[in-house]
Amino acid sequence: MQAKMTVNKAFTISETDPRIYGSFLEHMGRAVYSGIYEPDHKTSDSKGFREDVKALVRELKTPLIRYPGGNFLSGYNWEDGIGSVEDRPKRLDLAWKTVETNEVGLHEFIGWAKEVGAEVNMAVNLGTRGIDAARNLVEYCNHPGGTYWSDLRRQHGAESPFKIKTWCLGNEMDGSWQIGSKTADEYGRLAAETAKVMKWVDPGIELVVCGSSGSGMPTFATWEATVLEHTYDYVDYLSLHSYYGNKKNDLQNYLAMSVGMDRFIKSVTAICDYIKAKKRSDKILNLSFDEWNIWYHSNEKDSKNEPWQQSPPILEDIYNFEDALLLGCLLITLLKNSDRVKIACLAQLVNVIAPIMTEKNGVAWRQTTFYPFMQAANYGHGTVLRHNLDVPTYDCADFKTVPFVESVSIYNPDKDEIIIFAVNRSANEGVDFTAELQGFTLSNVLEFTEISGHDVKQVNTKDTYPVVPKETDAVKVGKNQLTASLKPLSWNMIRVGLN
């Protein structure tokens, strides 16, 4: 099979925002407790956080982490997580029917995030709470001092403000499962008034308003338009959430699901621009895809959990090779929409539908999905190039004319290189891939790695890592053209130096 990508240096999509490689940690399951935090673990630091997990998070170079939820957020009192740990209350978490000890709270998490090199994307509770709690939290976190809440932060050991930049106005507020769920008008009014006072406390913050909980919701599109009617002038991003799974065990349909992600992004972008036109505004509203991932392996097991445990295993999907391929396609789709998607959060980071898994009192390891995400987050920076891709297509159950190759190219002027990410969706045919890179003079191949040749159900475990990138030399460069062989069912990263 032949595939030809044509790009020109003059035709670009956007600069990448590093936050497109963000992640998410919610107080649910073992994400926090026995995930990032396990005081009795042999690698734990003086504050109880696992050093082995920190090392893996640093490998991902995660720039932004959304916290503390998620569904958990809509019943959370942020004041429960400050002050002396011994005095913090244990609470019933109704979102996941567990017991929250509040051992890890605001100061602990912000300190941990700083150690792994990430900013915090803080979320405020608009389920059981609202304007007052939100403005107090901004004052506690970001005001220098001389007021009740800022001085309380200083008493708790943080003399300098946390300077949290990005804030989410609630979570999935149209969902019937959400504590304090609301109609679009109810939420839109509350979000608008909350946004106004949060920015009065700190004009430098950026705010994410909730879109509907997914494109399959009956509220979808109408919800977005109504909420933006109320909030457009006060917020900076609209959120999207979407999860994917191969429940029907249909590989070709599964690997095409990134086409659905692309349609979702373009639909929400169109709604934002409709409200922009309706309001006769000059402001462009960007998107925060702050929950996206693969989630389906653990559903049956989770349905059998007993309620009111402390940090029980929840949503612990064990990912396989086909999941890594789809995750690669989803990453490429986010990059191709980088002109509007400025923030994206892989949900989640550790144990809960996560690239990193831990064993309590044991080891931490990288799932199959760790590697495409790690390579994109490490190397996928610069200017995303607009391209034409000439490649055969296929039809499947849910999508038509799906290209056998999903790909994107990025020009990084700081490193004088072009990075190409590509997934071959074909189970049977390799691809002779050509990239014509107009306006560039190629020098040498810096790296070509592939993940290929595995059974689609192959997984990584704490003891064995079969699904990992491997170097290959099946690539050649000329003056402004590159040719490479993409194996059947493969994730590929090619880095080429420039003269």
Side-chain angles (χ1 to χ4, degrees), residues 404-417:
F404 274 106
V405 174
E406 189 70 76
S407 62
V408 69
S409 57
I410 303 165
Y411 166 48
N412 187 334
D414 294 336
K415 294 188 176 180
D416 283 328
E417 66 181 44

Side-chain angles (χ1 to χ4, degrees), residues 89-121:
K90 291 183 178 181
R91 304 279 193 194
L92 293 182
D93 168 30
L94 302 185
W96 302 108
K97 290 185 169 55
T98 59
V99 174
E100 171 58 46
T101 66
N102 286 302
E103 292 173 67
V104 173
L106 194 59
H107 288 252
E108 290 84 9
F109 186 79
I110 289 171
W112 176 85
K114 185 176 182 179
E115 286 196 41
V116 298
E119 295 182 10
V120 175
N121 180 4

Side-chain angles (χ1 to χ4, degrees), residues 66-70 73 76 121-125 137 166-170:
R66 182 169 170 249
Y67 176 85
L73 173 68
Y76 180 56
N121 180 4
M122 185 62 68
V124 299
N125 175 357
L137 179 56
T166 313
W167 298 73
C168 296
L169 296 166

Side-chain angles (χ1 to χ4, degrees), residues 18-129:
R19 295 175 299 174
I20 207 169
Y21 303 117
S23 194
F24 175 32
L25 274 169
E26 181 172 356
H27 280 246
M28 67 173 295
R30 297 193 312 116
V32 175
Y33 305 109
S34 79
I36 65 171
Y37 177 81
E38 191 177 342
D40 295 332
H41 194 270
K42 63 182 180 180
T43 71
S44 288
D45 63 19
S46 60
K47 297 176 183 176
F49 291 99
R50 290 180 56 157
E51 294 284 5
D52 57 344
V53 175
K54 281 192 276 186
L56 292 180
V57 174
R58 290 189 192 105
E59 281 187 37
L60 293 176
K61 296 191 183 302
T62 309
L64 183 81
I65 301 175
R66 182 169 170 249
Y67 176 85
N71 295 346
F72 172 81
L73 173 68
S74 290
Y76 180 56
N77 300 327
W78 67 266
E79 302 92 339
D80 289 347
I82 61 175
S84 170
V85 174
E86 294 76 18
D87 295 332
R88 295 180 189 175
K90 291 183 178 181
R91 304 279 193 194
L92 293 182
D93 168 30
L94 302 185
W96 302 108
K97 290 185 169 55
T98 59
V99 174
E100 171 58 46
T101 66
N102 286 302
E103 292 173 67
V104 173
L106 194 59
H107 288 252
E108 290 84 9
F109 186 79
I110 289 171
W112 176 85
K114 185 176 182 179
E115 286 196 41
V116 298
E119 295 182 10
V120 175
N121 180 4
M122 185 62 68
V124 299
N125 175 357
L126 294 188
T128 59
R129 307 192 78 183

Side-chain angles (χ1 to χ4, degrees), residues 208-498:
V208 182
V209 70
C210 289
S212 58
S213 305
S215 60
M217 293 288 289
T219 52
F220 175 62
T222 301
W223 170 277
E224 277 81 357
T226 303
V227 167
L228 290 180
E229 288 272 12
H230 293 286
T231 63
Y232 195 90
D233 294 333
Y234 311 115
V235 301
D236 305 280
Y237 306 92
L238 178 67
S239 76
L240 297 81
H241 290 184
S242 192
Y243 294 95
Y244 306 90
N246 192 12
K247 294 180 180 179
K248 296 180 181 178
N249 199 28
D250 180 343
L251 177 64
Q252 293 307 126
N253 193 67
Y254 182 48
L255 295 182
M257 287 183 176
S258 57
V259 175
M261 176 192 254
D262 185 69
R263 291 176 184 172
F264 183 26
I265 292 169
K266 287 178 169 55
S267 295
V268 175
T269 298
I271 298 167
C272 292
D273 291 345
Y274 161 69
I275 299 299
K276 176 180 183 286
K278 188 175 180 182
K279 287 183 173 286
R280 296 166 176 82
S281 174
D282 293 328
K283 174 182 176 179
I284 295 175
L285 196 72
N286 288 316
L287 307 182
S288 173
F289 212 131
D290 50 33
E291 285 191 33
W292 71 275
N293 205 343
I294 294 155
W295 171 18
Y296 72 104
H297 295 286
S298 59
N299 292 351
E300 183 178 349
K301 181 181 178 182
D302 288 344
S303 66
K304 300 173 184 177
N305 279 344
E306 291 294 322
W308 315 128
Q309 301 179 65
Q310 289 186 20
S311 57
I314 300 176
L315 275 66
E316 296 201 2
D317 278 33
I318 301 301
Y319 293 123
N320 57 34
F321 174 49
E322 66 184 4
D323 297 329
L325 294 175
L326 177 62
L327 190 117
C329 291
L330 298 172
L331 282 164
I332 290 169
T333 301
L334 291 170
L335 285 164
K336 290 197 295 186
N337 288 280
S338 60
D339 56 331
R340 296 303 286 268
V341 179
K342 300 301 181 181
I343 299 171
C345 299
L346 181 72
Q348 295 185 21
L349 185 58
V350 181
N351 286 333
V352 176
I353 48 173
I356 298 169
M357 293 297 295
T358 72
E359 185 180 54
K360 193 170 184 179
N361 299 315
V363 299
W365 70 96
R366 305 165 188 83
Q367 292 230 63
T368 61
T369 56
F370 180 97
Y371 295 99
F373 191 81
M374 180 269 289
Q375 290 189 319
N378 276 261
Y379 298 107
H381 300 280
T383 303
V384 182
L385 300 170
R386 198 172 298 279
H387 73 260
N388 180 70
L389 183 64
D390 183 11
V391 64
T393 63
Y394 68 92
D395 295 342
C396 54
D398 296 325
F399 307 98
K400 304 298 181 186
T401 61
V402 179
F404 274 106
V405 174
E406 189 70 76
S407 62
V408 69
S409 57
I410 303 165
Y411 166 48
N412 187 334
D414 294 336
K415 294 188 176 180
D416 283 328
E417 66 181 44
I418 287 181
I419 306 95
I420 296 174
F421 299 118
V423 174
N424 180 3
R425 291 184 170 108
S426 174
N428 304 310
E429 290 190 58
V431 172
D432 294 327
F433 178 82
T434 301
E436 185 176 322
L437 305 168
Q438 299 171 0
F440 298 99
T441 303
L442 309 186
S443 172
N444 61 307
V445 177
L446 301 173
E447 182 179 4
F448 180 11
T449 61
E450 63 186 10
I451 304 177
S452 65
H454 304 284
D455 184 279
V456 292
K457 306 302 181 184
Q458 178 71 61
V459 302
N460 290 347
T461 71
K462 66 185 180 68
D463 299 311
T464 59
Y465 282 66
V467 183
V468 298
K470 295 181 179 177
E471 290 192 17
T472 174
D473 60 1
V475 59
K476 295 179 181 179
V477 296
K479 181 179 178 181
N480 64 357
Q481 191 175 84
L482 171 153
T483 59
S485 296
L486 311 182
K487 292 180 181 175
L489 294 180
S490 60
W491 157 265
N492 304 270
M493 181 183 74
I494 306 171
R495 296 171 52 224
V496 183
L498 304 172

